[in-house]
Amino acid sequence: MCVASFSELVRLCKLVEATSSRSEKVALIAEFLRRLQPAEAAAAARLMVGEVFPEYSDMALNVGWALLSRVVKGLRARQARLLEASPSILEVCSTLEKVAAASSRRRKEALLTGLFSAMGREEVEYLVRMLSREVRIGAAKGVVLEAVASAAGCSLEEVRRAYMFLSDVGDVAERALRGGREAVRSVTLEIFRPVKPMLAEMCYDIREAIREHGGATAFEWKYDGVRVQVHVKGDKVRVFTRRLSDVTAAMPDVVEAVREVLRAESAVLDGEAIGVVGGKPVPFQHLMRRVRRLEVRRLLRKVPLQLKLFDILYLDGRVLVDEPYSRRWELLEHATGGELLAERIVTGDPREAHEFLRRALEAGHEGLMAKNMASSYEPGSRGRKWLKIKPYDTVDCVIVGAEWGHGRREGWLSDYYLAVRDEATGEYLVVGKTFKGLTDEEFEEMTRRLLELKVGEEGRVVWVRPAIVVEVAYNEIQESPRYKSGMALRFARIVRIRWDKGPEEVTTLQELRRRFEEQFKSKARLHPS
Ligand code: AMP
């Protein structure tokens, strides 16, 4: 049996790091994986992308930078000697499992010190990079998956699909090397193993959604909450988030609701849990983004949750992901007796859809989703089969600064600081930044004009006299400590340049605040306490 040492993995990482060619990286990794036992390949694949445990696992090292650097510093004195045997990849992983399981910092530190002392300087350096998720060898997950495909003789598509079901590069690598193409192709949904949820692309127009989905489509209300995937078998219910963490304990109301309505022995349901306070939905995600994970769990327990189901991926032993959406909806209706379902209509009539959108917004929800009736459920993929339609509003802003662009936008001032006018002081205050919305010709013209208006420079930023006005679309106004204005536009993008307008005509800060308050007319406001 081949027992690959950790130092061999480090040698591979250095080779991968040294080449800038993607195909060469793939070839190097594939060749390496091919030589390993499947279990070793799993561990190596994970470490290469900076993961110690599978993504869905609840295990975590809980080792911060401070502890790591203390361990490394403690080694310095001892480390000059040349080591004969470095630990194997699997030994490294089993020690890391012990580190994760250890409850005291001292125990964690002792285990890591033991592990690092058995390694050379370079191995320590790379392991530290892996543990701090900063591997930086230019081989992100896509490259490693491509290497797995090449090592196992299957297509990248097949490996990607398996990854979306398994959510673990390690597991994909292990199955691929153990059972080859057949094993990769046969990967499918398993109960109590969450899959990455299917995602949607943005669409700005109802007509476009109808056209794109072949003349008629299923519109559902788009709720602003937490995506949940509920797995049920008999009495056992598990709730997973979009990032695959198990939040069952934090959502007793969701568990209860599913138990009550489900008329099946086993099922996997997809939906959104929304917070409802005083009959109005709470804008949950904004809150989630701001608070730390633990606080989220506490909050989830505090706010009553309602479940809105919109898909079913498994029912009584049958995997349904390849069934068309329309069939899945029928099965979902059947399995739940029509309870807890997302509001939905099927139509090809834009007026009917607009009316449906109006009702969704009036009820405090985010907008609509349009779902292609014939589409299968594609875990983890963001495509045009599902389209999200959120209403947007526009404001007029004046550009007060711009940053030099990168990549394709190199040489252009292409990232703009957008400001509104404070009526009280006459000051222009920044409320957002965007590089979206202009054509190449416009970028060019803008760069030329902005340079004429330059009043200062700071690193990559050129500050300008407020003169050029742009109409900016946004999806939402948020409070933001980042800007002096205290407000920020979410998903800002330039709709057009208003050469016809002067800076004194831009939207005022007071107007923006009024619109911000307006947002809460149909939404409940939650003060984190
Ligand atoms: P976004 O987070 O803006 O990309 O929008 C996609 C998210 O909308 C999904 O991940 C769900 O959490 C949420 N969502 C709300 N209502 C629905 C619905 N009816 N169908 C699908 N996703 C929905």
Side-chain angles (χ1 to χ4, degrees):
M1 192 181 101
C2 155
V3 178
S5 67
F6 184 71
S7 62
E8 284 173 80
L9 177 61
V10 169
R11 218 170 301 136
L12 168 74
C13 287
K14 287 178 66 182
L15 289 173
V16 171
E17 193 172 358
T19 171
S20 57
S21 147
R22 185 184 167 103
S23 57
E24 224 168 283
K25 287 179 195 279
V26 168
L28 284 165
I29 299 171
E31 189 192 303
F32 182 76
L33 292 178
R34 240 181 258 124
R35 284 196 290 117
L36 304 185
Q37 292 294 317
E40 293 176 319
R46 275 187 212 119
L47 288 172
M48 254 183 282
V49 298
E51 285 169 9
V52 178
F53 306 112
E55 263 176 81
Y56 58 82
S57 159
D58 268 351
M59 278 218 273
L61 279 184
N62 288 328
V63 168
W65 179 245
L67 197 149
L68 268 182
S69 55
R70 202 166 53 239
V71 173
V72 173
K73 271 192 204 122
L75 291 177
R76 292 252 161 83
R78 273 173 280 169
Q79 207 148 62
R81 70 198 167 99
L82 263 180
L83 291 151
E84 311 234 309
S86 120
S88 72
I89 296 174
L90 290 180
E91 280 163 351
V92 169
C93 288
S94 84
T95 306
L96 293 175
E97 273 169 32
K98 288 184 196 141
V99 173
S103 49
S104 78
R105 285 171 65 84
R106 274 182 61 189
R107 175 87 185 120
K108 285 181 195 284
E109 193 168 337
L111 283 163
L112 284 173
T113 303
L115 180 61
F116 285 179
S117 315
M119 291 179 168
R121 199 175 43 77
E122 267 182 349
E123 281 91 74
V124 169
E125 183 205 323
Y126 276 85
L127 187 54
V128 166
R129 279 158 70 168
M130 289 164 180
L131 299 187
S132 41
R133 290 179 165 265
E134 296 273 346
V135 190
R136 293 223 209 111
I137 52 169
K141 222 167 255 175
V143 173
V144 175
L145 288 175
E146 211 169 321
V148 170
S150 155
C154 43
S155 74
L156 178 57
E157 252 337 283
E158 288 164 336
V159 167
R160 276 223 187 98
R161 184 175 192 275
Y163 170 69
M164 293 307 178
F165 282 113
L166 297 171
S167 304
D168 173 24
V169 262
D171 202 352
V172 177
E174 183 162 355
R175 292 191 196 211
L177 290 174
R178 207 182 288 281
R181 186 168 184 214
E182 264 326 293
V184 172
R185 288 171 62 141
S186 67
V187 169
T188 187
L189 184 140
E190 290 166 30
I191 206 145
F192 297 125
R193 177 148 190 175
V195 300
K196 292 186 183 284
M198 182 158 171
L199 301 168
E201 257 184 35
M202 192 68 130
C203 173
Y204 296 107
D205 182 36
I206 279 180
R207 280 171 199 277
E208 186 188 325
I210 294 175
R211 206 179 323 117
E212 197 144 330
H213 289 175
T217 188
F219 288 101
E220 297 170 5
W221 282 9
K222 184 178 191 307
Y223 302 94
D224 185 12
V226 186
R227 182 80 174 261
V228 287
Q229 197 175 98
V230 189
H231 291 232
V232 188
K233 187 165 189 190
D235 278 346
K236 191 171 166 196
V237 180
R238 290 261 153 264
V239 186
F240 300 97
T241 63
R242 168 179 180 149
R243 303 188 63 195
L244 315 180
S245 41
D246 185 333
V247 287
T248 315
M251 297 192 174
D253 24 13
V254 168
V255 172
E256 211 34 58
V258 169
R259 280 216 175 103
E260 239 164 64
V261 306
L262 194 69
R263 305 167 172 188
E265 158 65 18
S266 59
V268 174
L269 306 164
D270 190 4
E272 189 90 350
I274 54 174
V276 181
V277 171
K280 290 178 177 180
V282 174
F284 229 100
Q285 283 175 336
H286 316 159
L287 200 80
M288 304 249 317
R289 249 175 251 121
R290 275 182 225 148
V291 290
R292 287 208 326 274
R293 218 172 138 139
L294 277 177
E295 289 171 80
V296 169
R297 294 200 175 194
R298 186 175 58 78
L299 246 153
L300 286 177
R301 257 188 247 118
K302 211 171 69 175
V303 179
L305 294 179
Q306 271 182 18
L307 180 60
K308 296 292 177 186
L309 294 172
F310 46 75
D311 221 316
I312 184 163
L313 317 186
Y314 181 96
L315 180 63
D316 287 337
R318 266 180 66 209
V319 176
L320 304 175
V321 292
D322 292 324
E323 297 287 334
Y325 164 88
S326 52
R327 175 72 185 138
R328 296 200 309 276
W329 185 274
E330 273 173 27
L331 292 168
L332 175 65
E333 262 183 329
H334 193 73
T336 58
E339 303 270 342
L340 306 181
L341 300 191
E343 287 289 322
R344 180 187 101 125
I345 57 167
V346 175
T347 185
D349 177 0
R351 269 176 319 184
E352 200 184 336
H354 272 293
E355 174 55 24
F356 190 60
L357 170 63
R358 196 191 55 72
R359 279 179 40 217
L361 298 176
E362 203 175 80
H365 303 297
E366 253 188 343
L368 298 181
M369 298 288 286
K371 298 185 179 173
N372 187 324
M373 299 283 283
S375 62
S376 56
Y377 190 96
E378 290 168 20
S381 98
R382 187 187 291 284
R384 314 269 314 156
K385 309 243 172 79
W386 284 17
L387 295 169
K388 52 187 172 194
I389 300 164
K390 294 191 205 173
Y392 65 88
D393 217 336
T394 65
V395 277
D396 289 328
C397 293
V398 65
I399 296 178
V400 293
E403 265 174 45
W404 291 106
H406 292 279
R408 209 181 66 77
R409 289 179 281 108
E410 184 92 47
W412 289 331
L413 283 169
S414 57
D415 204 356
Y416 307 113
Y417 285 84
L418 310 164
V420 294
R421 191 168 56 85
D422 183 350
E423 243 170 9
T425 62
E427 230 183 325
Y428 290 103
L429 298 173
V430 175
V431 290
K433 225 175 123 188
T434 192
F435 55 84
K436 291 197 178 132
L438 296 190
T439 62
D440 289 2
E441 294 74 50
E442 285 172 324
F443 274 135
E444 236 175 86
E445 175 164 17
M446 197 64 122
T447 305
R448 203 162 23 82
R449 296 219 188 192
L450 287 172
L451 286 175
E452 286 164 13
L453 297 168
K454 178 168 159 180
V455 292
E457 206 161 351
E458 233 175 292
R460 297 185 71 83
V461 187
V462 172
W463 297 110
V464 298
R465 181 161 58 76
I468 300 177
V469 177
V470 284
E471 184 178 341
V472 177
Y474 63 91
N475 288 81
E476 200 180 80
I477 303 165
Q478 291 184 318
E479 275 182 316
S480 164
R482 190 151 41 117
Y483 300 125
K484 186 177 161 196
S485 66
M487 313 282 261
L489 301 175
R490 247 187 109 206
F491 299 126
R493 54 208 179 265
I494 297 175
V495 184
R496 57 198 161 130
I497 309 173
R498 298 297 305 253
W499 299 119
D500 56 323
K501 281 198 172 181
E504 64 292 341
E505 289 175 89
V506 299
T507 306
T508 62
L509 183 64
Q510 288 68 21
E511 162 69 10
L512 207 62
R513 187 152 275 286
R514 196 185 57 71
R515 290 197 199 183
F516 171 75
E517 293 295 331
E518 191 96 334
Q519 287 176 172
F520 288 96
K521 277 218 169 122
S522 49
K523 275 187 182 176
R525 201 185 299 213
L526 197 64
H527 296 286
S529 54

